[in-house]
Amino acid sequence: MLRKINLKNEIDRIVNFIKEQIFGQNFEKAIIGLSGGIDSSVAAALSVKAVGKENVIGIMLPYKTSHPDSLKDAISIADNLEISYKKYDISPMVDSYFDSFEPNAHQLRRGNRMARERMCILFDNSAK
């Protein structure tokens, strides 16, 4: 059995949480990794509601084998939310490590490295 959720209350609760986390740390802007998927799209929309579209920056981090529709979807979300965005191709960063040190690495290891590279870029943009 599904539990009943008051959507408006949940949105308000999450928006208030985002505000507390951003403003409580004396930040003004939100950096959101936009993949084009539902999770990052909802996070971006809730962040816009919390801090305003002028204070949300979408960061797109495709790898050379990422499906092109994902980037198109992420750009569409940014455009619809009217937020600024940046795109960083993580392929050279990820490939340089594996090409130089671990050329036979399994795809799982490569995927993990991609996730870590994305987080490093998001953290760096946040620090800026």
Side-chain angles (χ1 to χ4, degrees), residues 12-84:
D12 290 344
R13 186 181 65 77
I14 295 167
V15 165
N16 286 330
F17 174 80
I18 293 169
K19 285 180 185 178
E20 289 170 10
Q21 295 304 305
I22 292 175
F23 299 137
Q25 301 298 320
N26 294 317
F27 293 117
E28 298 173 2
K29 296 187 181 293
I31 301 292
I32 303 289
L34 271 181
S35 66
I38 189 76
D39 294 345
S40 66
S41 300
V42 170
L46 291 168
S47 295
V48 165
K49 193 168 181 65
V51 298
K53 63 185 176 187
E54 66 282 357
N55 293 316
V56 177
I57 301 167
I59 307 289
M60 296 149 196
L61 301 156
Y63 182 71
K64 64 188 175 189
T65 59
S66 298
H67 197 288
D69 286 350
S70 295
L71 181 59
K72 284 195 288 189
D73 291 345
I75 291 170
S76 178
I77 292 298
D79 288 344
N80 284 324
L81 292 173
E82 299 178 338
I83 62 172
S84 63

Side-chain angles (χ1 to χ4, degrees), residues 1-7 10:
M1 183 158 110
L2 295 175
R3 79 179 170 134
K4 277 189 151 180
I5 295 176
N6 183 315
L7 190 55
E10 286 303 306

Side-chain angles (χ1 to χ4, degrees), residues 71-104:
L71 181 59
K72 284 195 288 189
D73 291 345
I75 291 170
S76 178
I77 292 298
D79 288 344
N80 284 324
L81 292 173
E82 299 178 338
I83 62 172
S84 63
Y85 63 88
K86 299 176 185 179
K87 182 184 84 152
Y88 299 91
D89 179 359
I90 65 166
S91 303
M93 295 164 251
V94 172
D95 290 347
S96 66
Y97 171 77
F98 287 109
D99 291 347
S100 297
F101 303 109
E102 297 290 335
N104 297 319

